[in-house]
Amino acid sequence: MFMGEYNHTIDAKGRLIIPAKIREQLGEHCVLTKGLDNCITIYTESSWMELSKALQSLSTNKANARAVKRFYFGSAAELEFDKQGRILVPNPLREHAELQKDVVIIGTGDHVEIWSRHRYDNYNDEVSDSIESLAEGLEGITL
C-alpha cells in the first residue's frame, strides 16, 4: 500500500527522484500516465493490468468510454529508474500536471500521484474545507 507525502523537485530535463520506499513497492515494471485532477499517476504492473482490463471492457460505441481510454492509454509510458532513483517524466505529462520545479509525490493506497506543489496546495485547501461532508457521502466505509 502506498502512503505518505514527499516533497521533491523536478529538473529542467524532466527528471524526478522517486522516494526509495515508493520505488521498492513499485517494482521494476510500472506505468506512468495522466491522472484525474491534473496530476500524474504511477501504477504497479498488476494495478495497471487491472485498470487496463476494466478500460478495455468499456464499449467503444460510447463517446465517454473512448475519451477515457484515450486519456489513460494515450499518455501511458513504462517507467525506468536510473541509478539515482530518478524517472524521466515525458513532456506531455509534465504539461498535463503543470510540473515545473516543486513537486509533491503522494501515496494513495493502490497507486502513486505526482502533483505540482501549487496545484496540490490549492486542491488540498478546497478539499480540507469539505472533507466531513465528502466523507458522509461515502457508502460502506467508516472512518
Side-chain angles (χ1 to χ4, degrees), residues 25-81:
Q25 292 178 19
L26 286 171
E28 286 187 38
H29 301 285
C30 46
V31 175
L32 182 71
T33 191
K34 287 180 183 175
L36 301 175
D37 302 314
N38 290 92
C39 71
I40 297 171
T41 53
I42 304 175
Y43 293 95
T44 63
E45 185 175 27
S46 61
S47 291
W48 177 250
M49 293 308 292
E50 285 179 37
L51 177 61
S52 296
K53 286 178 185 175
L55 291 173
Q56 289 175 28
S57 71
L58 298 174
S59 170
T60 55
N61 291 335
K62 301 200 179 265
N64 60 348
R66 292 190 306 272
V68 169
K69 285 180 176 183
R70 290 176 186 133
F71 180 83
Y72 283 102
F73 290 126
S75 64
E78 289 186 24
L79 277 188
E80 292 183 24
F81 296 101

Side-chain angles (χ1 to χ4, degrees), residues 5 7 25-26 28 38 48 51 66 74 85 88 90 95 98 104 128 138:
E5 178 178 318
N7 296 300
Q25 292 178 19
L26 286 171
E28 286 187 38
N38 290 92
W48 177 250
L51 177 61
R66 292 190 306 272
L88 179 62
E95 289 174 2
E98 296 182 5
V104 180
S128 293
L138 298 176

Side-chain angles (χ1 to χ4, degrees), residues 5-26:
E5 178 178 318
Y6 306 86
N7 296 300
H8 283 277
T9 57
I10 190 167
D11 70 16
K13 294 180 181 178
R15 295 176 299 194
L16 173 65
I17 293 174
I18 300 298
K21 187 173 185 174
I22 289 179
R23 270 196 326 268
E24 291 169 10
Q25 292 178 19
L26 286 171

Side-chain angles (χ1 to χ4, degrees), residues 55-123:
L55 291 173
Q56 289 175 28
S57 71
L58 298 174
S59 170
T60 55
N61 291 335
K62 301 200 179 265
N64 60 348
R66 292 190 306 272
V68 169
K69 285 180 176 183
R70 290 176 186 133
F71 180 83
Y72 283 102
F73 290 126
S75 64
E78 289 186 24
L79 277 188
E80 292 183 24
F81 296 101
D82 67 12
K83 291 179 182 175
Q84 287 82 36
R86 298 177 300 188
I87 60 169
L88 179 62
V89 180
N91 195 47
L93 292 176
R94 290 196 313 263
E95 289 174 2
H96 168 75
E98 296 182 5
L99 301 183
Q100 296 186 6
K101 185 174 182 190
D102 295 323
V103 172
V104 180
I105 301 168
I106 61 170
T108 61
D110 67 336
H111 68 277
V112 176
E113 294 181 346
I114 302 172
W115 291 73
S116 75
R117 172 91 260 169
H118 174 74
R119 276 187 172 265
Y120 185 69
D121 288 345
N122 288 341
Y123 173 81

